[in-house]
Amino acid sequence: MSKILFNIENLSFSISKKEILKSLSLKIYEGDYLSIIGPNGGGKTTLIKCLIKIYQSPVNKIFFKEQPIEKIPQKKLASQISYVPQINETNFPFTAKEFLMLARYPHLSRFSSVTAADTKAVASAFDITNTTNLANRFMNTLSGGEKQMIFIAAAFAQGGEVILLDEPATFLDPKHEHNVYQILKTIHQETNKTIVTVTHNINSAILNSNRIALIKNGKLDFYGNSVDITKNNILEKAYNKKFTFIKHPASEKSIIVPEVV
Amino acid sequence: MNKKFLLLLFSLLALLVLALTPFIGMEKIPFDTILNFDSSNIHSDIFWRIRVPRILIAFISGSALAISGMAFQAMFRNALATPFTLGVSSGAAFGAALYVKIGFIFSLLGISGQTLFAFAGALVSIMLVYILSKVKKGFPVGTMLLAGVAINFFFSSFILFIQFISDFTNSFRIIRWLMGGFEVIGYSDIYNVIPFIIIGTIIIILLSTELNLLTLGEDVAVSRGVSLSKVKNILFFATSLMVSGVISVVGPIGFVGMMVPHISRLIIGADHRYLVLLNIIFGGAFLVLCDTLSRILIAPAEIPVGVITALLGGPFFIWLLIKSSNNNSI
């Protein structure tokens, strides 16, 4: 087994007095492509936000490389972990290139300007996401799919070894959805970064990630190899709904078939 | 257009404004008399002891109000959220009015009591804004603005009360001061506020990258490595310093901190490394021009400069409100 990156031990977390995470424990391993699935309102987004300290979790509950996360300065944490938020409609008054350069913030010191390493990181981020042609476009002129690509590129440019993503392909058309998963896979395979993504697309989780965590009602319901999620009625119990499976013609993995209603 | 070129262009325009406006006014100043430093020369005296200090204080006030407004707009991600609209100015005004009423004149480390009282008032109202923004994460900006209106009413009532219990002279002094104006003589007021403005300006210039990140939203800013509460606390502190320093001397001049940063953003873009510099230049020149209008429009009488900025700012505010209702970003 490879090294543990995140060790989450009995994490409970409340927002406005409502308990969202209930004593959740989970280990995330280096080099994994982990998909986090589960019913709406189960705490997936909250967990991701705790991992990058957008939410301040209680002390000694989350460890990153064996260090309690609250002890790591935000800038240092950001140099190792990057984050792609849920698609939002906010219009940023920056070009894609300026936006990516801002992602280099954890590597800047206050008085130095952009270094060659920054320029290189931004160029290779555009490269790996096939978005070099968008570099000089303003963020508010991009389509939803293009904007999401730029967010992923920014997370890549930030240079960490972990990328956290919150429903990166929701609301995208099939082509852009495919592009997102394609690029995540490329990043995972070519650079060996750890990918942790929240998703509602269970088939993509089965086909693309090597591990799945299922979170329901603030607790870990299932954690294991992605192909095992279709066994033992795990999904039926979690979503309280019947699922029909079929073998994927190319990968031979069992996936969900949409139902006729 | 190139951003550095734009900055240079506006610097030259601002220098032109600074060079010409001291010659505009009731009394014509012959150019050759200004190099005569003999105080018995009435023209030289008007020029160096009245007009130049007045223009300098208008300039630094405009710069400070503009970059304070810019910092608030970035923090709240809304062009309407400025120290003036969120009630910080009225807090500072209350502090200064209270000082006038008490009538106990003192100073500390060379800083006048009025400035210190204004600073305390600004801090109290900034604390109120701060607590409100913390009560619920992602407090909608509309609600923040309404809270600002409430804070404004709250302090305005206090100021009215102070006026009511003051004698006629103090009451008039407070009213005149609330309208805003730069009727300074000599340079002592400038020495009084310049430390506040320099410290605040340096802090905001050093935090321009953080301001860029804050315009992306707090979640993204944190995930990029910004220590959010630390940065916001420093920004609140720096803006209180500048706003209270300015207000204690020239009164609560409104809307400069909203109009100038917004127009600057349209001119030079949202990158705060350039935006902050344009705000310093443009904010200063803008307020000097407003003050010149206030001196000449109904000469020999003056229109208080606060009236002029409010006459320009009110319609601007409504325009922004209509424009931003279908697009809530800055």
Side-chain angles (χ1 to χ4, degrees):
Chain A
M1 211 88 183
S2 56
K3 232 171 72 185
I4 297 172
L5 272 186
F6 281 106
N7 190 0
I8 303 152
E9 288 179 347
N10 297 319
L11 173 65
S12 299
F13 190 79
S14 304
I15 297 173
S16 319
K17 299 204 173 116
K18 188 177 181 292
E19 192 169 45
I20 309 287
L21 299 175
K22 297 164 187 163
S23 206
L24 180 135
S25 296
L26 173 69
K27 292 178 172 64
I28 299 175
Y29 293 93
E30 190 174 73
D32 266 8
Y33 185 146
L34 171 70
S35 291
I36 300 176
I37 62 169
N40 286 326
K44 305 179 295 292
T45 295
T46 307
L47 174 67
I48 290 280
K49 288 188 174 179
C50 283
L51 294 180
I52 185 71
K53 291 209 290 189
I54 289 171
Y55 291 156
Q56 313 280 332
S57 55
V59 296
N60 284 327
K61 295 293 178 191
I62 304 178
F63 296 84
F64 179 69
K65 293 185 175 173
E66 297 177 351
Q67 230 188 324
I69 198 166
E70 64 276 2
K71 295 245 169 74
I72 308 173
Q74 193 64 33
K75 215 169 181 178
K76 194 173 169 214
L77 195 70
S79 72
Q80 299 180 63
I81 306 168
S82 53
Y83 162 77
V84 177
Q86 275 179 16
I87 291 179
N88 58 33
E89 293 306 315
T90 321
N91 288 327
F92 300 142
F94 294 107
T95 65
K97 196 172 178 182
E98 286 169 334
F99 181 69
L100 258 65
M101 214 37 112
L102 279 174
R104 296 295 297 168
Y105 175 73
H107 308 276
L108 297 176
S109 82
R110 189 158 309 281
F111 300 100
S112 74
S113 50
V114 175
T115 65
D118 297 325
T119 317
K120 206 176 145 218
V122 168
S124 69
F126 277 126
D127 196 39
I128 201 162
T129 53
N130 294 321
T131 49
T132 311
N133 57 323
L134 303 177
N136 292 319
R137 291 267 300 276
F138 273 91
M139 290 294 281
N140 48 18
T141 66
L142 300 178
S143 73
E146 290 169 330
K147 206 153 121 183
Q148 194 61 356
M149 281 308 168
I150 296 298
F151 262 96
I152 294 172
F156 185 84
Q158 201 172 323
E161 51 192 294
V162 190
I163 300 180
L164 311 171
L165 305 99
D166 198 352
E167 298 191 26
T170 310
F171 306 123
L172 297 185
D173 65 39
K175 175 171 171 259
H176 282 108
E177 183 184 20
H178 174 81
N179 279 350
V180 166
Y181 290 123
Q182 177 79 55
I183 277 155
L184 288 182
K185 191 139 207 172
T186 310
I187 290 174
H188 182 240
Q189 285 172 348
E190 286 185 10
T191 65
N192 207 29
K193 284 184 198 291
T194 307
I195 309 273
V196 180
T197 174
V198 169
T199 179
H200 282 300
N201 186 334
I202 301 173
N203 280 343
S204 144
I206 295 168
L207 294 170
N208 301 320
S209 54
N210 65 324
R211 245 181 271 275
I212 290 181
L214 197 165
I215 292 176
K216 188 187 177 184
N217 293 330
K219 293 196 185 96
L220 190 64
D221 218 41
F222 165 88
Y223 177 66
N225 291 331
S226 54
V227 287
D228 294 332
I229 191 78
T230 57
K231 295 171 187 165
N232 303 329
N233 291 330
I234 295 163
L235 289 173
E236 278 82 356
K237 283 181 211 152
Y239 289 92
N240 201 9
K241 165 191 181 298
K242 215 187 140 352
F243 283 92
T244 317
F245 302 102
I246 190 173
K247 237 180 194 75
H248 186 273
S251 79
E252 303 266 297
K253 288 174 183 169
S254 191
I255 57 163
I256 298 168
V257 194
E259 270 159 75
V260 184
V261 285
Chain B
M1 217 184 313
N2 188 303
K3 289 175 181 172
K4 281 173 186 153
F5 174 74
L6 278 172
L7 279 178
L8 187 72
L9 183 71
F10 275 87
S11 306
L12 292 175
L13 287 175
L15 282 176
L16 196 67
V17 168
L18 281 177
L20 292 182
T21 46
F23 292 99
I24 301 171
M26 272 297 287
E27 196 67 37
K28 294 276 167 290
I29 310 273
F31 184 74
D32 52 345
T33 57
I34 63 166
L35 292 173
N36 179 355
F37 294 101
D38 180 5
S39 60
S40 63
N41 181 318
I42 182 76
H43 287 127
S44 169
D45 207 42
I46 289 175
F47 189 84
W48 290 110
R49 282 216 325 127
I50 294 177
R51 290 206 185 152
V52 169
R54 179 178 181 141
I55 279 156
L56 286 180
I57 197 122
F59 192 89
I60 58 175
S61 301
S63 301
L65 291 175
I67 59 175
S68 304
M70 180 201 75
F72 263 56
Q73 290 177 337
M75 268 195 288
F76 291 102
R77 301 173 70 203
N78 190 302
L80 298 172
T82 63
F84 185 75
T85 46
L86 292 182
V88 179
S89 302
S90 60
F94 166 67
L98 190 64
Y99 178 81
V100 173
K101 163 64 191 149
I102 292 171
F104 169 62
I105 293 165
F106 75 101
S107 67
L108 200 70
L109 301 169
I111 300 162
S112 80
Q114 185 157 333
T115 306
L116 293 172
F117 266 63
F119 185 58
L123 272 186
V124 169
S125 47
I126 265 197
M127 288 288 283
L128 285 174
V129 173
Y130 183 72
I131 291 165
L132 282 169
S133 70
K134 282 265 174 176
V135 172
K136 204 171 148 200
K137 205 173 155 40
F139 218 56
V141 177
T143 317
M144 286 295 305
L145 287 171
L146 285 177
V149 170
I151 293 172
N152 267 321
F153 273 131
F154 183 72
F155 282 115
S156 301
S157 315
F158 267 122
I159 294 171
L160 280 178
F161 178 68
I162 290 175
Q163 281 179 312
F164 183 70
I165 56 171
S166 298
D167 58 40
F168 186 77
T169 320
N170 272 347
S171 186
F172 183 76
R173 270 179 69 200
I174 293 171
I175 288 184
R176 181 62 197 88
W177 173 81
L178 283 173
M179 293 172 182
F182 305 105
E183 294 80 8
V184 299
I185 292 171
Y187 295 84
S188 61
D189 281 323
I190 296 177
Y191 296 139
N192 220 337
V193 294
I194 201 94
F196 285 71
I197 292 173
I198 288 179
I199 293 170
T201 305
I202 289 174
I203 290 174
I204 288 181
I205 288 175
L206 286 178
L207 288 176
S208 45
T209 307
E210 280 79 359
L211 285 169
N212 282 343
L213 285 157
L214 280 173
T215 59
L216 307 179
E218 295 192 350
D219 284 4
V220 176
V222 169
S223 78
R224 300 282 191 261
V226 175
S227 308
L228 189 66
S229 46
K230 199 169 99 187
V231 168
K232 281 175 84 173
N233 288 347
I234 296 173
L235 285 172
F236 276 126
F237 175 76
T239 42
S240 321
L241 263 185
M242 288 192 289
V243 170
S244 56
V246 168
I247 287 176
S248 70
V249 175
V250 304
I253 295 172
F255 297 109
V256 178
M258 182 179 70
M259 288 186 281
V260 172
H262 192 79
I263 296 169
S264 299
R265 195 175 282 108
L266 294 178
I267 293 171
I268 207 163
D271 188 339
H272 285 75
R273 290 172 302 169
Y274 299 100
L275 189 57
V276 67
L277 300 177
L278 184 59
N279 271 299
I280 292 172
I281 301 164
F282 181 33
F286 176 77
L287 207 46
V288 169
L289 287 175
C290 286
D291 181 51
T292 308
L293 281 182
S294 93
R295 288 193 288 126
I296 59 173
L297 276 184
I298 54 166
E302 287 188 8
I303 304 171
V305 70
V307 173
I308 295 201
T309 60
L311 284 175
L312 293 170
F316 193 84
F317 185 93
I318 291 168
W319 173 70
L320 270 182
L321 203 62
I322 294 167
K323 192 175 86 78
S324 63
S325 57
N326 44 12
N327 172 13
N328 65 348
S329 70
I330 52 173

